[in-house]
């Protein structure tokens, strides 16, 4: 069954409303959330108190002001200028660049640890591209050979902008491709940021070992919008979590295993929620 305001994602039920909008928790209270369509959620995750004044252990990384190149340090400014010198960033029609996007994904995901490395196929890329029909898709072309070396997707969700994804060929990261993409996104959406929208890179990362959100804060003035994390588990998941809790430290030693890595992610969130 479809439940208004909720969707199934990666074994969890999560809200479809904007981070700053109130969540309808009635389906959680009456238990209908466990009968939602799209998959079998093992847990429900939602947040309250978006952008509260106190520092919490859960946050969204956002940019809610226009970017000013002259306000950052010289080192960061040099990196952005380097990226702009090496890459031509423009809006693209991803359907016409399917092979190039596939190549970028293969290269980018090859650097991921095996415990959460996705299986990339031409079909999976084709399916993903079909979900970008209403999005802005930015492509970074290396100026020396006009090769597409990276892309980013930004989705307009009416009250805010969602930074859906950014993927680049690791071989071109030394040429500041990430800086070129993010800078172009902020410049292209300057008017939206002036109109009190914000660009959101998502919540605190749990499963992926990435410093991208730190990079956005350091180089482009993104900030943490703190909030309160809430979790509710399916009854048998709660039993498993309680049974395994005494072995939490042991499980961390086997984090390279795909399934144990997922369990450790739940324990991380649970610690953040308690603290």
């Amino acid at each position: 069954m479809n439940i208004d305001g909720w969707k199934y994602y990666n074994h969890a039920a999560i809200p479809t409303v904007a981070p700053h909008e109130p969540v309808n928790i009635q389906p959680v209270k009456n238990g209908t959330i466990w009968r939602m369509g799209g998959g079998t959620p093992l847990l429900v995750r939602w947040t309250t108190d978006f952008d509260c004044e106190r520092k919490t252990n859960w946050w969204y990384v956002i940019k809610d002001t226009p970017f000013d190149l002259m306000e950052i340090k010289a080192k960061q400014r040099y990196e952005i200028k380097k990226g702009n010198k090496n890459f031509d960033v423009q809006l693209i029609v991803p359907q016409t660049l399917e092979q190039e996007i596939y190549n970028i994904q293969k290269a980018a995901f090859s650097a991921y640890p095996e415990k959460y490395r996705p299986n990339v196929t031409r079909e999976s890329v084709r399916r993903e591209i079909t979900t970008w029909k209403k999005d802005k898709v930015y492509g970074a072309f290396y100026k020396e050979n006009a090769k597409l070396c990276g892309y980013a997707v930004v989705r307009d969700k009416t009250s805010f902008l969602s930074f859906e994804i950014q993927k680049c060929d690791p071989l071109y990261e030394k040429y500041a491709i990430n800086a070129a993409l993010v800078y172009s996104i902020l410049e292209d959406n300057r008017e939206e940021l002036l109109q009190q929208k914000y660009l959101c890179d998502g919540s605190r990362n749990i499963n992926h070992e990435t410093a991208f959100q730190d990079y956005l804060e350091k180089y482009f003035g993104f900030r943490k919008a703190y909030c309160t994390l809430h979790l509710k588990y399916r009854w048998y998941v709660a039993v498993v979590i309680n049974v395994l809790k005494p072995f939490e430290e042991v499980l961390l030693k086997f984090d390279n295993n795909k399934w144990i890595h997922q369990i450790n992610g739940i324990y991380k969130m649970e610690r953040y929620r308690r603290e």
Side-chain angles (χ1 to χ4, degrees):
M1 62 183 293
N2 292 326
I3 299 180
D4 188 42
W6 292 87
K7 68 177 181 179
Y8 174 83
Y9 175 74
N10 198 21
H11 308 298
I14 60 174
T16 58
V17 297
H20 64 277
E21 294 175 340
V23 178
N24 173 25
I25 62 169
Q26 190 58 36
V28 182
K29 291 180 177 179
N30 61 28
T32 57
I33 195 72
W34 306 117
R35 301 198 296 274
M36 72 182 307
T40 303
L42 301 179
L43 60 90
V44 187
R45 188 183 83 187
W46 73 98
T47 59
T48 57
D49 310 316
F50 178 78
D51 205 13
C52 59
E53 293 183 359
R54 70 185 187 281
K55 286 188 176 182
T56 67
N57 280 325
W58 199 256
W59 56 73
Y60 290 88
V61 173
I62 68 170
K63 177 67 174 170
D64 55 354
T65 57
F67 178 64
D68 187 343
L69 188 62
M70 301 312 297
E71 288 185 354
I72 62 175
K73 295 181 180 178
K75 181 180 178 181
Q76 283 82 33
R77 196 160 58 242
Y78 169 81
E79 188 74 4
I80 294 169
K81 289 181 177 179
K82 176 182 173 182
N84 292 338
K85 178 182 177 181
N86 289 322
F87 294 93
D88 177 24
V89 178
Q90 56 188 261
L91 289 171
I92 62 173
V93 180
Q95 290 82 358
T96 65
L97 294 163
E98 182 183 303
Q99 180 63 50
E100 290 84 348
I101 292 172
Y102 169 75
N103 293 338
I104 291 168
Q105 285 200 14
K106 288 285 286 186
F109 288 135
S110 67
Y112 280 33
E114 191 173 346
K115 59 188 174 185
Y116 58 77
R117 184 188 306 157
N119 180 33
V120 181
T121 65
R122 286 294 298 271
E123 182 57 33
S124 69
V125 170
R126 189 174 295 117
R127 286 197 305 268
E128 185 175 1
I129 287 175
T130 62
T131 67
W132 302 342
K133 289 180 180 178
K134 296 182 180 180
D135 302 330
K136 286 184 176 180
V137 184
Y138 299 83
F141 296 86
Y142 190 48
K143 290 182 179 179
E144 283 194 10
N145 56 15
K147 177 184 177 182
L148 182 69
C149 302
Y151 66 91
V153 180
V154 174
R155 183 165 296 166
D156 190 339
K157 294 194 172 182
T158 308
S159 61
F160 78 109
L161 301 171
S162 176
F163 199 157
E164 292 288 297
I165 188 171
Q166 180 161 311
K167 286 286 175 284
C168 299
D169 186 332
L171 292 176
Y172 290 85
E173 289 182 351
K174 61 185 176 183
Y175 302 115
I177 185 172
N178 286 297
L181 275 165
V182 178
Y183 176 79
S184 294
I185 289 169
L186 292 176
E187 286 299 294
D188 189 50
N189 293 282
R190 175 175 289 272
E191 286 303 314
E192 282 81 356
L193 296 178
L194 284 169
Q195 294 169 10
Q196 297 185 322
K197 280 189 177 183
Y198 60 91
L199 177 62
C200 180
D201 187 59
S203 61
R204 181 174 186 173
N205 201 291
I206 292 295
N207 288 322
H208 292 183
E209 299 161 5
T210 174
F212 187 64
Q213 292 186 336
D214 294 333
Y215 169 79
L216 292 176
E217 291 185 56
K218 181 177 180 180
Y219 281 79
F220 293 97
F222 280 67
R223 66 180 181 85
K224 293 181 176 72
Y226 294 100
C227 54
T228 303
L229 175 66
H230 302 271
L231 298 169
K232 188 173 182 63
Y233 305 103
R234 194 177 282 271
W235 71 268
Y236 55 80
V237 175
V239 170
V240 172
I241 288 174
N242 288 329
V243 168
L244 293 179
K245 187 164 183 9
F247 307 99
E248 194 173 342
E249 295 299 321
V250 176
L251 290 172
L252 288 173
K253 297 179 180 180
F254 298 93
D255 194 60
N256 284 331
N257 178 276
K258 177 181 178 181
W259 298 109
I260 293 179
H261 178 69
Q262 295 286 337
I263 294 171
N264 287 336
I266 294 176
Y267 278 122
K268 278 184 186 178
M269 288 192 294
E270 183 60 29
R271 285 198 299 273
Y272 298 151
R273 183 191 66 80
R274 289 197 309 266
E275 294 169 0

